[in-house]
Amino acid sequence: DKGIKFKTAKLIAGVYNNSLKEAFINAGTKDGIKENCLIFNEDGAIGRVITVNDHSSKVLLLNDTRSYIPAKAISNGNKMIISGAGENLLEIKFIAENKEPETGEVLLTSSEANLVPDNIPIGKIVRTDGENYQVRPFADLNNFDIVFIYLNE
């Protein structure tokens, strides 16, 4: 195990309207950044890189409805896919096993699909009606400054 390699970057600008949830950071290909790198801060996952330039990158935030990220429940490891639900909410789109997640369950990233590192906090299930599951991210996706970029190998 080589440990987690990451780069620190600063937010340049953000687009937070009804349909777009994107941010721009001051790190790019010259810093080793590639598409799909996970972005996180001290609170948890924020999004992933979707476009890379020499000295900057565009990040698709977790709450954007185009965003999908592999996740797992901390209590039983149940795998799932988390999608953006607008505002500052996420939702569970797919659950691998027939184990219904409960309100209060903490979700972490899952490296199952080799897209993101394991065990970065995502958020907590705040509401469920048995079919729909809302997740509140731990990171404030509308208010962050310094981020870490996980450098995929």
Side-chain angles (χ1 to χ4, degrees):
D1 183 32
K2 297 182 250 176
I4 291 180
K5 292 183 181 177
F6 62 90
K7 172 82 179 154
T8 304
K10 190 167 177 36
L11 179 72
I12 300 171
V15 178
Y16 315 111
N17 64 32
N18 290 343
S19 57
L20 290 177
K21 309 286 186 204
E22 298 175 344
F24 297 86
I25 56 173
N26 70 346
T29 54
K30 301 269 188 202
D31 303 293
I33 310 305
K34 300 175 190 164
E35 283 187 13
N36 290 318
C37 286
L38 181 75
I39 307 299
F40 60 101
N41 67 8
E42 68 277 3
D43 296 321
I46 290 177
R48 64 181 175 79
V49 173
I50 56 171
T51 308
V52 190
N53 299 310
D54 285 350
H55 299 286
S56 65
S57 299
K58 186 194 311 188
V59 177
L60 183 68
L61 301 180
L62 290 182
N63 56 338
D64 190 297
T65 56
R66 300 168 294 163
S67 173
Y68 290 85
I69 189 167
K72 62 185 175 184
I74 199 169
S75 67
N76 59 17
N78 195 10
K79 305 286 191 288
M80 54 195 74
I81 301 293
I82 305 294
S83 175
E87 297 306 314
N88 204 27
L89 284 174
L90 315 173
E91 59 189 356
I92 298 173
K93 286 292 192 186
F94 170 79
I95 302 168
E97 296 177 30
N98 202 7
K99 297 178 193 165
E100 188 173 316
E102 296 181 15
T103 301
E105 178 75 67
V106 172
L107 305 178
L108 307 174
T109 58
S110 169
S111 63
E112 193 82 5
N114 291 323
L115 291 175
V116 296
D118 242 342
N119 301 323
I120 303 290
I122 296 174
K124 185 184 339 186
I125 298 175
V126 292
R127 188 171 31 227
T128 176
D129 64 11
E131 288 183 23
N132 302 302
Y133 305 90
Q134 287 190 327
V135 177
R136 176 144 336 265
F138 291 129
D140 183 347
L141 303 178
N142 298 312
N143 186 21
F144 59 91
D145 187 31
I146 302 295
V147 296
F148 307 107
I149 304 112
Y150 174 77
L151 302 177
N152 318 26
E153 288 302 312

